[in-house]
Amino acid sequence: QAAELESEGKIEKAMLLYEDAVDSAERDPLYHALLARAYMKIGRFTDARIQAERAAELSAPGDRTDVMMLIARVYGAMGSWDKAQDTLQEVLEQKPKCGEAHFEMAKAAEGLCNYTRMVQALDEVARLGSRGSSPEYKAALEERQRRISELSNQTNSENASVETYYALGILYKETGRWADAVEAFNRAFDSQDMGADAHFWLGVDAEASGRRDQAVDMYKRAVALCPNHAGALRNLERSLLLKTVEEFPTDRDAWYTLGLAYSSFMNWTEARIAFGKTIEIEPDFAEAHFRLGRTLEMLGETDEAAAAYARTVELFPNHVEAAEALARAENGG
């Protein structure tokens, strides 16, 4: 019944039936996995992780691959890309030819800005032929390759336009050829007509290579060309804050704002570090304890989250959100 409701898009009703199934057969890993999937669909990621891990505990050693994949996807949805990557590595150690695991590994690597690893994973997916086998996908890929060849021929001309290099860079990026994409964007770089996206991707490449000053410059240029460029704005804020905390490591506000920035795009692991640094600098900063509690809760560390909420209430007894979160944590969610 739950599966039928889920197929009809009635996720919350399906979730209630899955919960009943788990209560009726607590040691059946399948029911825990199905409940985890339902929780994930409605954004209850911590609950999804708990149920998926319970399914893994109950599964036979040789039957855990699908559950471990689910756990990795939950971590990805929570923005914990490092944990997703570690989980997927476990899967690949058991099943090195699992194309889905390589595909999820590519997503985790992208989340960690490890574009070399991302391309390696996508290359492995292509080699295994586990994705993109539909006629529509193959036709789209062939069209991209045809367009790349066409634009590459145009760049051999002395009068190749900025638009040609930029379009070629975008196509390279979409097909995972990052080094070629950066080279194409660089060829367009001398012109003021280069688009915001090109500056953004040059910034991403510079940041991944440790050239933060150059990355900041690229992000600034992208924002100047497109003030609402979400990716450039986000990366610029993070890069400037990282630069600030490197220059002024005891700047409480810089660390706290960096934590908020990481939280805004669900990088909970880095947010935890930033809020922790904030508290090291000022142990009685109540709001930092509260934000740390939220971060720990998203990472599934409920006991530590409860302690952070308790400290918040101790420092600021009228903090309503912290009191509610503490009660929720103490009651098991």
Side-chain angles (χ1 to χ4, degrees), residues 162 184-194 199 202 221:
V162 173
F185 287 142
N186 273 319
R187 295 291 296 274
F189 183 64
D190 291 336
S191 172
Q192 294 182 351
D193 295 331
M194 188 175 69
H199 283 95
L202 283 172
R221 295 188 188 198

Side-chain angles (χ1 to χ4, degrees), residues 171-212:
L171 284 168
Y172 280 142
K173 176 179 71 68
E174 290 177 348
T175 52
R177 294 170 59 177
W178 284 88
D180 291 331
V182 170
E183 182 180 352
F185 287 142
N186 273 319
R187 295 291 296 274
F189 183 64
D190 291 336
S191 172
Q192 294 182 351
D193 295 331
M194 188 175 69
D197 279 346
H199 283 95
F200 170 70
W201 288 111
L202 283 172
V204 169
D205 176 71
E207 190 172 3
S209 303
R211 305 189 309 274
R212 183 167 295 139

Side-chain angles (χ1 to χ4, degrees), residues 249-252 255-256 272-285 288-289 292:
T250 59
D251 188 325
R252 183 206 76 169
W255 280 109
Y256 179 69
R272 176 185 189 172
I273 294 171
F275 290 133
K277 287 286 188 181
T278 306
I279 292 167
E280 282 182 22
I281 296 166
E282 187 172 332
D284 293 340
F285 187 3
H289 285 281
L292 178 61

Side-chain angles (χ1 to χ4, degrees), residues 20-131:
D20 289 342
V22 167
D23 290 340
S24 300
E26 202 280 331
R27 298 195 61 78
D28 190 322
L30 174 61
Y31 295 156
H32 287 281
L34 291 171
L35 179 56
R37 188 178 66 184
Y39 280 148
M40 188 174 171
K41 287 182 178 179
I42 62 172
R44 290 175 57 176
F45 300 127
T46 299
D47 291 330
R49 180 190 58 79
I50 292 170
Q51 291 299 324
E53 289 180 347
R54 180 60 175 152
E57 290 174 9
L58 295 170
S59 298
D63 297 332
R64 291 179 182 163
T65 301
D66 289 342
V67 176
M68 295 300 288
M69 289 287 295
L70 178 59
I71 292 173
R73 290 188 178 105
V74 173
Y75 278 135
M78 295 169 71
S80 299
W81 296 113
D82 52 345
K83 291 186 177 181
Q85 183 174 255
D86 291 343
T87 304
L88 290 164
Q89 191 59 47
E90 289 184 40
V91 174
L92 290 170
E93 286 172 3
Q94 299 296 320
K95 293 190 175 182
K97 294 184 179 181
C98 179
E100 285 295 321
H102 285 290
F103 183 74
E104 293 296 328
M105 182 66 84
K107 290 162 62 176
E110 184 178 17
L112 292 167
C113 294
N114 186 346
Y115 298 109
T116 300
R117 180 71 183 88
M118 182 190 79
V119 172
Q120 290 173 345
L122 289 174
D123 285 345
E124 191 64 18
V125 172
R127 188 183 70 80
L128 292 169
S130 55
R131 275 184 168 260

